Amino acid sequence: MSKAFIAEVIQGSAEITGVAANRAATDLMEAIVKELKKNGKFTLPSFGTFTVRKTKARKGVNPRTGEEIKVKAGKTVRFKASPSLKKMV
């Protein structure tokens, strides 16, 4: 799924211009990111839940050189599909 696809669906559903639909898709994505930053979790009922998880620092391997490297601790976003989404798919 892409931002263009979301904008196209919004445009067809709301019968608005492409520019307005693109702006709405951008605003939607920004709102989701803002909510993830604020609460660490975002749920769309009947679709699923996005959660922010911390990752620990670890050792990795450069695939080209085989050299060991250090990977810093960070954050990642996980998605868990709702049971109703799993049934639909």
Side-chain angles (χ1 to χ4, degrees):
M1 183 182 302
S2 66
K3 181 179 159 187
F5 174 76
I6 294 170
E8 185 180 317
V9 171
I10 292 170
Q11 182 180 6
S13 176
E15 297 179 4
I16 57 176
T17 66
V19 174
N22 191 24
R23 194 172 336 126
T26 301
D27 291 345
L28 173 67
M29 288 184 202
E30 287 175 359
I32 291 170
V33 170
K34 185 177 178 181
E35 187 68 18
L36 284 171
K37 284 182 179 181
K38 181 180 175 185
N39 296 324
K41 187 176 184 180
F42 179 78
T43 301
L44 284 170
S46 301
F47 188 73
T49 302
F50 296 89
T51 54
V52 177
R53 293 207 179 156
K54 294 180 181 177
T55 58
K56 296 179 180 179
R58 62 192 186 281
K59 293 180 183 178
V61 178
N62 183 331
R64 283 194 177 168
T65 63
E67 178 184 351
E68 246 187 39
I69 57 172
K70 292 180 182 178
V71 180
K72 295 179 182 179
K75 295 179 184 178
T76 187
V77 177
R78 301 284 176 115
F79 175 75
K80 183 177 180 186
S82 72
S84 58
L85 176 63
K86 289 178 182 179
K87 283 182 184 178
M88 286 188 258
V89 175

